[in-house]
Coordinates of all heavy atoms in Angstrom, one line a residue:
M235 N 18.2 -19.6 1.0 CA 17.7 -18.7 -0.1 C 16.6 -17.8 0.4 O 15.7 -18.3 1.1 CB 17.2 -19.6 -1.3 CG 16.6 -18.8 -2.5 SD 16.2 -19.9 -3.9 CE 14.8 -20.8 -3.3
F368 N 10.8 -24.4 -8.2 CA 11.5 -24.0 -6.9 C 12.6 -24.9 -6.5 O 13.6 -24.5 -6.0 CB 10.5 -23.8 -5.8 CG 10.1 -22.4 -5.7 CD1 9.0 -21.9 -6.5 CD2 10.7 -21.5 -4.8 CE1 8.7 -20.6 -6.4 CE2 10.3 -20.1 -4.8 CZ 9.3 -19.7 -5.6
D369 N 12.5 -26.2 -6.9 CA 13.6 -27.1 -6.6 C 14.8 -26.7 -7.5 O 15.9 -26.7 -6.9 CB 13.2 -28.6 -7.1 CG 12.2 -29.2 -6.1 OD1 12.0 -28.7 -5.0 OD2 11.6 -30.2 -6.5
E370 N 14.6 -26.4 -8.7 CA 15.7 -25.9 -9.5 C 16.2 -24.6 -9.1 O 17.5 -24.3 -9.1 CB 15.2 -25.8 -11.0 CG 16.3 -25.4 -12.0 CD 15.7 -25.3 -13.4 OE1 15.1 -26.3 -13.8 OE2 16.0 -24.3 -14.1
L371 N 15.3 -23.7 -8.6 CA 15.8 -22.3 -8.1 C 16.7 -22.5 -6.9 O 17.7 -21.8 -6.9 CB 14.5 -21.5 -7.8 CG 14.7 -20.0 -7.6 CD1 15.0 -19.3 -8.9 CD2 13.5 -19.4 -6.9
Y372 N 16.3 -23.4 -6.0 CA 17.2 -23.6 -4.8 C 18.5 -24.2 -5.2 O 19.5 -23.8 -4.6 CB 16.4 -24.5 -3.8 CG 17.2 -24.7 -2.5 CD1 17.4 -23.6 -1.7 CD2 17.8 -25.9 -2.2 CE1 18.1 -23.7 -0.5 CE2 18.6 -26.0 -1.1 CZ 18.7 -25.0 -0.2 OH 19.5 -25.1 0.9
Q373 N 18.5 -25.1 -6.2 CA 19.8 -25.7 -6.6 C 20.7 -24.6 -7.2 O 22.0 -24.6 -7.0 CB 19.6 -26.8 -7.6 CG 18.9 -28.0 -7.1 CD 18.5 -29.0 -8.2 OE1 18.8 -28.8 -9.3 NE2 17.8 -30.1 -7.8
K374 N 20.2 -23.6 -7.9 CA 21.0 -22.6 -8.5 C 21.3 -21.5 -7.6 O 22.4 -20.9 -7.7 CB 20.2 -22.0 -9.7 CG 20.0 -22.9 -10.9 CD 19.2 -22.1 -12.0 CE 19.1 -22.9 -13.3 NZ 18.3 -22.2 -14.3
H375 N 20.5 -21.2 -6.6 CA 20.6 -20.0 -5.8 C 20.5 -20.3 -4.3 O 19.7 -19.6 -3.6 CB 19.6 -18.9 -6.2 CG 19.6 -18.6 -7.6 ND1 20.6 -17.7 -8.1 CD2 18.8 -18.9 -8.6 CE1 20.3 -17.6 -9.4 NE2 19.3 -18.3 -9.8
P376 N 21.2 -21.3 -3.7 CA 21.0 -21.7 -2.3 C 21.3 -20.6 -1.3 O 20.6 -20.6 -0.2 CB 21.9 -22.9 -2.1 CG 23.0 -22.7 -3.2 CD 22.3 -22.1 -4.3

Side-chain angles (χ1 to χ4, degrees):
M235 179 173 71
F368 268 83
D369 287 347
E370 184 179 310
L371 194 70
Y372 183 70
Q373 290 172 6
K374 290 181 176 177
H375 304 283

